[in-house]
Amino acid sequence: MTTTELSPYWLRDNCPCAECRDPRNGQKLFQITDLPDDLAIAARAELDGHLEVLWSDGHRSRYPSEWLAGNEDGDGRTEADKRLWAAADFARGIPEARWDAYLADPAERTAVLAAVRRSGFAVLRGVPAVERQVLAVAETFGYVRVTNYGALFDVRIEPDPNNLAFTSAAITPHTDNPYRDPVPTLQLLHCLENSATGGDSGLVDGFHAAALLRAEAPEHFAVLTRTPVPFVFRDRGTELRADRPLIEMDPLGRIREVRFNNRSIATLRGPAAELDAFYAAYRAFAAITLRPALQLDFRLDPGDCLIFDNVRLLHARTAFAQDGRRHLQGCYADLDSLSSTLSVLERRSAALDELAALFEGEGAGEYLGEAVTMAEHMLQAGALAEAAGAGPHLVAAALLHDLGHFFDKHGRDTLHGRDLMEGRDNRHSHTGADRLARWFGPEVTEPVRLHVAAKRYLCAVEPDYRARLSEASEYTLQVQGGPMSEEEAAAFAAHPGAGDAVAVRRWDDEAKEADAVTPDFTHFRPLLAALMR
Amino acid sequence: MTTTELSPYWLRDNCPCAECRDPRNGQKLFQITDLPDDLAIAARAELDGHLEVLWSDGHRSRYPSEWLAGNEDGDGRTEADKRLWAAADFARGIPEARWDAYLADPAERTAVLAAVRRSGFAVLRGVPAVERQVLAVAETFGYVRVTNYGALFDVRIEPDPNNLAFTSAAITPHTDNPYRDPVPTLQLLHCLENSATGGDSGLVDGFHAAALLRAEAPEHFAVLTRTPVPFVFRDRGTELRADRPLIEMDPLGRIREVRFNNRSIATLRGPAAELDAFYAAYRAFAAITLRPALQLDFRLDPGDCLIFDNVRLLHARTAFAQDGRRHLQGCYADLDSLSSTLSVLERRSAALDELAALFEGEGAGEYLGEAVTMAEHMLQAGALAEAAGAGPHLVAAALLHDLGHFFDKHGRDTLHGRDLMEGRDNRHSHTGADRLARWFGPEVTEPVRLHVAAKRYLCAVEPDYRARLSEASEYTLQVQGGPMSEEEAAAFAAHPGAGDAVAVRRWDDEAKEADAVTPDFTHFRPLLAALMR
């Protein structure tokens, strides 16, 4: 949209001011009905990268231009945001990761969850093959959805099965629990034992199958999107029923969910001609799901855990001989929490990219007349902390302690602490700590906040400390308030964070050596990522 | 549909034979693609209340006529199955029950859950006002849905709230968690303390509001059903987004879900004209939800637990003064399990109706030449067990021990055990036990199954027992195999259920007194209902 055509209620509903939106949690503080019936833009001006609006009711709003021009990601749930696949697309391997790498490395975790969101599945290898472990896997990205099968279910032969899954029979591609609404949107299957002949797993991309149906027989596709199908499951203590179409579209006509399970389709009712049309469409869709080119086959070995999208992918298994044992444990979970976890990981990764860019950009500038750049100074401080065996939070604090020099109090970049060098205290320790608080907890931000106070403290309590200060540091000491008084020093020493702040301060003071060899920012990324909670 | 026009694939997909459908769990054993492409009815006949079909592939099916003519209930989730309401509809009271009655009496439980399904809410009173109790309430009918707020959440003032709910501010009608997909379909709010001025609760029927919008402004209604709205929630560890319409219809155009939460609507994007149309419709809908006539207001006192449909009802609260404490605990759950629990309760109630009808119908017949009717005999046996202080399972077994006389081996009614009186053992103890196994566990069915064996056993081990048998019982003893041999008696005595079977047998023998005053079947219903697990 250009700013010349703006929808008034839309614009006002998005006013970012603190009166309209709680600054703490971003929630709107007014109701849409609070706005007057004749709301209009009284005056507007584009200024300083913002659109400023005076409203007919006197309210004023200020919108960043990039927000106005911007676009939003969708929720990622329709075919538009998926990679539709056939078996051959994974000829070079399926999305998989080692369990230990998945736990240790956010990039690995991001890749696995992104694969589930985009391709509908991933396999974790080397997950301890112990009972109930599947619940721990689900809890790495979301919440277990309990059903009538329990928090977890055992897939193995049962003497009196209430479900075909608990026999040794082959099972053709299907989705689980279509008789639930809300249906569990994710399924996990963790292999504990698989020494039987057969019992291989198969996956079919139901969105791809539906898209093929739409291309090959649009009339069949239309019938399946508009026919609510009664899915039913009954046993002694359960009587579930959901009437939902096999293929569900969003309001814009994009494929959003697939339910497919011949076993649990109960009696559809209607005129014979409609039933004929449904069954012709259903058979055509079923035939597509059985095309060998669509089905990706693989074997789950003990320790493998398959995670897949149960409103998109159909899963299958071959029959197995009773010549060995086969035991999977499964549970359900939901896509929304998985997506949330992935988004937070991506947000953190973007934050690390932002920090990396600061080290490479502003960080290349000179550091208050020292012989090193800002980036070299901070990387040296981080490396010194690491070499000293400090905890990750102190390595991070040392690495990031001077970040505030890159921003003034309004969040605008400054030229390498020029304010400070011109005799004004830019309060860089506070600016840096506040900036870091978006991503890190107080164990990282507070030593940063206190590292200037620590200098003033050390000057007060260690006479020879001040003598060792660099010339620039001695100069800034004056701007920062000089050495602490006796009372100030006592109060500082009593602060629970004083020890950490002093430690960071000492690495800070040492980290000014020209031509020292230090690791670059990339080296610290995993440590920083792990601290972002 | 008449049987002259039948959809062949539909009919075949519903074949009830044991080859097509697993008799143990009712699941289909074939895939729709297993059926030949040219499937046709080769021959058909209506016979004995059934349609018999010979298929072109040689398969034979047999369908009860009442199934062919029948209709199915839907899943109960659209406006078609709801009672749409305004506040005045509850002028004489809201759906509510005492917690202890809800726990003790299946009829009370049925009424509460049916109110949630049909009106969207109910209140339990006298729920112990202790922490975490709300989880126990949810577990009486389903499973707790864990979210980023935890398994349960505390609604009270928080110092640094991530949600307006955790302040003392008024909150206008809204649904919760619209940024989740799947959204939790039920919410529970359990009041632990409410001594603040204000903080009253309000509910609005969102389906009713949507139906009013459709009636008053169909163009607005249409816009809201076809516009995916971005609902977003972000905090440090969460980033949820769901793009869903405010009003969601099923494929047949019936209102099925409502999401409404101004606080969490993020930036919708589109041409200004579309945004104008959306905001006009959204404001019109919001105004309807705020009509005082629609909002049902009530106060939750300590011990009250409100259960409501979160994809239909909007909930609100008035602001409260900080002159007293207000503390609710809430959790989420889902409608599907609630409906399942309700259906199972209804199924059990129907089974009790069926038993009651047998006592009144077949039970009025004579009892093998005794001076009492069958029903009188069984009621006397049940009453004797009860008077003896027997456990509920034994009272039930005594009450139902001769039920098998009402059925022959094929489940058809017999004329009061005529087979037996004509010298053929109708094995009524087994028939009765098998019939009862649909509803009761072995603690009830096994004494029924063994009560004839117990007679043969007692004749073997208690010489004067046989002498006391009634004439009819002495006669049937012969048909039933006569007294046990010594080996048979030893084997019987070793059976873990022998004691219970003998106890039932003794009440059976005593329960033949003409004109004894006994409670009627209704008296035993709660006891039977509690045993149906």
Side-chain angles (χ1 to χ4, degrees), chain B residues 66-279:
Chain B
E66 67 264 31
W67 173 82
L68 276 169
N71 229 316
E72 312 282 313
D73 291 339
D75 64 5
R77 293 284 280 271
T78 77
E79 59 178 319
D81 294 311
K82 308 297 187 188
R83 173 197 181 202
L84 302 197
W85 54 259
D89 293 322
F90 297 107
R92 289 194 294 179
I94 61 176
E96 59 174 87
R98 299 284 313 167
W99 171 243
D100 46 6
Y102 170 87
L103 286 182
D105 182 357
E108 201 76 6
R109 204 148 65 244
T110 301
V112 168
L113 301 182
V116 176
R117 186 152 73 176
R118 199 149 161 72
S119 298
F121 75 106
V123 176
L124 292 170
R125 310 281 191 191
V127 179
V130 295
E131 303 243 349
R132 307 187 67 77
Q133 181 70 28
V134 69
L135 301 176
V137 176
E139 282 158 9
T140 62
F141 58 76
Y143 309 103
V144 171
R145 178 96 78 88
V146 183
T147 71
N148 50 306
Y149 301 107
L152 66 73
F153 48 90
D154 288 283
V155 184
R156 60 183 163 194
I157 297 173
E158 287 187 3
D160 184 22
N162 69 345
N163 194 301
L164 198 60
F166 311 138
T167 69
S168 66
I171 306 184
T172 52
H174 66 283
T175 63
D176 266 20
N177 273 330
Y179 35 76
R180 279 205 175 270
D181 184 11
V183 64
T185 52
L186 279 175
Q187 184 171 170
L188 289 83
L189 286 173
H190 178 217
C191 181
L192 297 178
E193 280 188 286
N194 196 5
S195 59
T197 307
D200 289 357
S201 301
L203 291 174
V204 173
D205 184 353
F207 279 17
H208 189 194
L212 288 170
L213 181 69
R214 181 174 52 200
E216 296 171 12
E219 71 291 358
H220 284 338
F221 179 84
V223 165
L224 296 189
T225 60
R226 70 169 184 242
T227 307
V229 174
F231 291 102
V232 170
F233 181 83
R234 281 195 188 94
D235 70 10
R236 207 179 159 80
T238 314
E239 179 140 356
L240 289 159
R241 171 171 182 139
D243 292 0
R244 301 300 294 270
L246 294 184
I247 302 171
E248 190 170 336
M249 297 191 299
D250 81 346
L252 306 181
R254 301 176 298 194
I255 298 164
R256 199 173 198 280
E257 290 193 1
V258 166
R259 295 187 183 212
F260 192 88
N261 193 319
N262 185 63
R263 277 175 287 152
S264 54
I265 294 185
T267 304
L268 187 66
R269 300 283 180 175
E274 277 181 25
L275 296 174
D276 282 343
F278 171 77
Y279 271 88

